[in-house]
Amino acid sequence: MSSKGSMVLAYSGGLDTSCILVWLKEKGYDVIAYLANIGQKEDFQEPGAKKVFIEDVSREFVEFIWLAIRSSTLYEDRYLLGTSLARPCIACKQVEVAQREGAKYVYHGTTGKGNDQVRFELTCYSLGRNDLMEYSKQRGIPIPATPKNPWSMDENLMHISYEAGILENPKNQAPPGLYTKTQDPAKAPNIPDILEIEFRKGVPMKVTNVKDSATLQTTLELFMYLNKVEGKHGVGIVIVENRFIGMKSRVIYGAPAGTILYRADLDTKAFTVDREAHKIKQSLGSKFTELVYTGCCPECESVRRCIAKSQERVEGKVQVSVLKGQVYILGRESPLSLYNEELVSRNPIDATGFININSLRLKEYHCLQSKVTAK
């Protein structure tokens, strides 16, 4: 069979891409496997492609994560967008490989739930997952998903997601042994870890563990350390979302480091950003979350610049305790804090004039209501 041309496949080693790789070879394509190392636990074994490129984009990815932390991105008040943030890193490097190798096509594989169908083009998912498992069995394709444990996992530095199989039914509890990035909170240690996190312009710059004085100051290592500590305490497990195409989906996410940084960053903002400026930033953060989730790019640059401006005063240290899946803020300090202890401690009588002025509207309203009732 003559070759139909070269194709760069974004290969994850999961059920979908493992089967797609073999299927594309059977159809006559020269498949170049592109594996993006974005912090997942992976042995990156040879997938049997014509060529294999393994690109470590962890440090590039962590810069995307800082954008999310500064923007307080939280989709539907729960999801820290771990998958959405990783896609631009993967896609950029994949296109670079395709251009360098002169490939005609690029190819992606997802579980077909909606979000990445929009972000990545799919043409091979019509087989369905049960048929894919049978296909992989017939051709001896090693895959992590099995008929007994048929859920799909997508891991990166930011988080890991679990979906499909028995997880499709939202009333089913997560099966024992599901979690790999986070400990089951019930099995987490009974003694908390106390961490001090230092921010500068909204970006985490330093983490110190009060218990053993361990200190991390480089971005990637800092994030990896938080994943380890917070994961041990079961921090960062969230469930369920509305997909971009409109369907509801039961997905379990584990995002330990992102969760604690989100909480600590919010606390720093509360003491260093003006109230009204913070309201505007919240609105921009919601818009940025939407843009990241849906994969829309043109507007992102403008929104990011505005958010960056709002973060110039976000500087300080936050001390947090992590225990049994929870994050507790213990204290904070900042050289740029707007908190004035002297002002807060003043005699309550100082507020009398302020209260009288603000009560005028209520007094007039009730006076008018009394007249109307009397008539």
Side-chain angles (χ1 to χ4, degrees), residues 94-147:
Q94 183 184 16
V95 170
E96 286 181 18
V97 171
Q99 291 174 336
R100 190 166 66 235
E101 294 298 307
K104 290 184 178 180
Y105 315 99
V106 291
Y107 206 99
H108 309 271
T110 76
T111 55
K113 282 297 188 68
N115 296 336
D116 286 335
Q117 285 175 298
V118 177
R119 299 175 190 133
F120 292 150
E121 295 183 3
L122 290 178
T123 60
C124 190
Y125 200 77
S126 58
L127 287 172
R129 288 193 74 78
N130 290 332
D131 290 336
L132 279 176
M133 289 181 186
E134 183 60 29
Y135 180 90
S136 67
K137 181 179 179 181
Q138 291 174 1
R139 287 159 176 79
I141 303 171
I143 55 171
T146 65

Side-chain angles (χ1 to χ4, degrees), residues 54-215:
I54 301 175
E55 301 279 350
D56 189 339
V57 294
S58 298
R59 294 192 181 277
E60 290 91 335
F61 181 39
V62 82
E63 295 303 320
F64 279 83
I65 295 174
W66 298 154
L67 284 174
I69 296 299
R70 297 177 82 187
S71 306
S72 304
T73 55
L74 197 65
Y75 181 70
E76 295 188 338
D77 300 323
R78 297 185 181 192
Y79 173 37
L80 288 163
L81 301 179
T83 298
S84 309
L85 291 164
R87 295 314 184 209
C89 290
I90 297 173
C92 287
K93 289 292 184 181
Q94 183 184 16
V95 170
E96 286 181 18
V97 171
Q99 291 174 336
R100 190 166 66 235
E101 294 298 307
K104 290 184 178 180
Y105 315 99
V106 291
Y107 206 99
H108 309 271
T110 76
T111 55
K113 282 297 188 68
N115 296 336
D116 286 335
Q117 285 175 298
V118 177
R119 299 175 190 133
F120 292 150
E121 295 183 3
L122 290 178
T123 60
C124 190
Y125 200 77
S126 58
L127 287 172
R129 288 193 74 78
N130 290 332
D131 290 336
L132 279 176
M133 289 181 186
E134 183 60 29
Y135 180 90
S136 67
K137 181 179 179 181
Q138 291 174 1
R139 287 159 176 79
I141 303 171
I143 55 171
T146 65
K148 183 179 179 181
N149 300 317
W151 51 76
S152 171
M153 294 185 292
D154 181 16
E155 183 183 11
N156 59 45
L157 180 67
M158 179 72 160
H159 84 169
I160 187 168
S161 63
Y162 313 88
E163 60 181 309
I166 65 170
L167 301 178
E168 294 285 4
N169 189 332
K171 77 175 182 180
N172 289 338
Q173 295 185 23
L178 173 78
Y179 302 117
T180 60
K181 208 177 190 73
T182 52
Q183 174 77 278
D184 183 336
K187 299 177 181 179
N190 295 319
I191 300 175
D193 271 284
I194 309 297
L195 301 171
E196 186 175 81
I197 305 173
E198 185 173 339
F199 291 88
R200 192 172 304 130
K201 292 187 176 181
V203 176
M205 303 300 292
K206 181 179 178 181
V207 169
T208 302
N209 192 319
V210 175
K211 184 190 299 184
D212 59 12
S213 299
T215 301

Side-chain angles (χ1 to χ4, degrees), residues 220-281:
L220 180 58
E221 287 72 19
L222 178 156
F223 202 87
M224 293 173 66
Y225 178 76
L226 287 177
N227 267 335
K228 179 181 177 181
V229 175
E230 310 317 302
K232 177 182 70 175
H233 287 281
V235 169
I237 300 172
V238 295
I239 302 173
V240 180
E241 63 171 300
N242 287 301
R243 293 299 177 95
F244 181 36
I245 62 173
M247 64 183 287
K248 290 188 181 294
S249 176
R250 196 281 183 92
V251 185
I252 298 177
Y253 294 103
T259 298
I260 190 171
L261 288 173
Y262 178 85
R263 291 285 306 277
D265 178 67
L266 282 183
D267 199 76
T268 309
K269 286 183 173 71
F271 275 77
T272 57
V273 180
D274 173 75
R275 181 184 67 178
E276 298 306 313
H278 185 59
K279 288 180 181 178
I280 295 174
K281 186 263 158 202

Side-chain angles (χ1 to χ4, degrees), residues 192-197 210 260 263-264 267 271 317-323 326-333:
D193 271 284
I194 309 297
L195 301 171
E196 186 175 81
I197 305 173
V210 175
I260 190 171
R263 291 285 306 277
D267 199 76
F271 275 77
K317 299 177 184 178
V318 180
Q319 193 173 88
V320 300
S321 169
V322 285
L323 178 68
Q326 298 297 318
V327 177
Y328 303 95
I329 305 295
L330 301 180
R332 78 288 298 161
E333 60 178 303

